Amino acid sequence: MATSRQVCEFLDEVLRLPPRTAAWHAQRLRLAGLLPATQGLPEHISSEHVAAILIAIAVGSPLVDDYFSMRSGSGGPTFGKVLAGFVDRPFELLELQIDSLTPAASVTFRGPDHGVATLSFYAPSPKPRPAFDRDVRLGPEIFIKLAAAIANAPEVRAGRPRLRDRYSRIS
């Protein structure tokens, strides 16, 4: 896995966002207590935290906890667990659709029988909605590129560079 800073850079690149947009959302989530704050230590970030940053970017608000705790109408894991699973294994995902006005989402994926399956997630108590829709649709290419970038992330060390890396012989 990659560090939080690396994942934010990858998200900016994959989603074609201006520089440091994902880092700004991650900082808002840290202030809300949804991401761990490890200052000065480059620790690996979990797929749940990557999913939280992705939802914060898509929704544009720090109310990620409402989206993470949504359950499917047919039961099963929460939306946060499902999305984190697709961050780890993106090749089964076909489409992710997130409603950015009220906590609701739909995931279309390849099911266990190799057919197309869809899970709809929504909040337990319905909230009033405006007359228009504002959906964010994320395709499989975003998750595949993100997973490849995270898998190929260079290792980050804490502290000063190694002595042999600081001084190289030029001959």
Side-chain angles (χ1 to χ4, degrees):
M1 286 302 283
T3 63
S4 177
R5 178 179 285 177
Q6 288 173 328
V7 167
C8 289
E9 290 172 3
F10 298 151
L11 282 170
D12 286 339
E13 182 181 326
V14 168
L15 295 173
R16 291 181 272 160
L17 298 171
R20 309 242 342 121
T21 301
W24 180 76
H25 285 287
Q27 183 63 28
R28 285 179 35 184
L29 293 176
R30 264 188 217 96
L31 291 174
L34 297 172
L35 286 181
T38 56
Q39 191 166 352
L41 297 174
E43 293 186 3
H44 297 290
I45 189 169
S46 69
S47 57
E48 288 87 10
H49 295 136
V50 175
I53 296 171
L54 190 62
I55 291 173
I57 291 170
V59 175
S61 74
L63 301 174
V64 174
D65 199 30
D66 293 343
Y67 285 86
F68 248 49
S69 61
M70 291 187 302
R71 292 254 178 217
S72 173
S74 61
T78 61
F79 179 62
K81 297 283 185 193
V82 170
L83 188 57
F86 286 123
V87 167
D88 287 336
R89 297 175 318 279
F91 298 106
E92 303 296 321
L93 180 70
L94 298 176
E95 184 184 54
L96 170 67
Q97 182 176 354
I98 300 173
D99 187 354
S100 59
L101 297 175
T102 60
S106 172
V107 179
T108 306
F109 59 97
R110 186 178 307 133
D113 60 350
H114 301 290
V116 176
T118 301
L119 285 176
S120 297
F121 298 90
Y122 44 87
S125 60
K127 297 182 179 178
R129 304 182 37 91
F132 58 91
D133 291 335
R134 193 168 80 185
D135 296 335
V136 177
R137 294 174 194 255
L138 300 174
E141 68 279 352
I142 291 173
F143 287 89
I144 292 171
K145 288 178 184 177
L146 180 63
I150 289 173
N152 295 327
E155 184 179 345
V156 177
R157 295 183 59 244
R160 297 176 59 187
R162 296 182 188 141
L163 187 62
R164 69 172 181 226
D165 294 339
R166 284 187 279 163
Y167 303 106
S168 61
R169 282 177 60 136
I170 300 174
S171 37

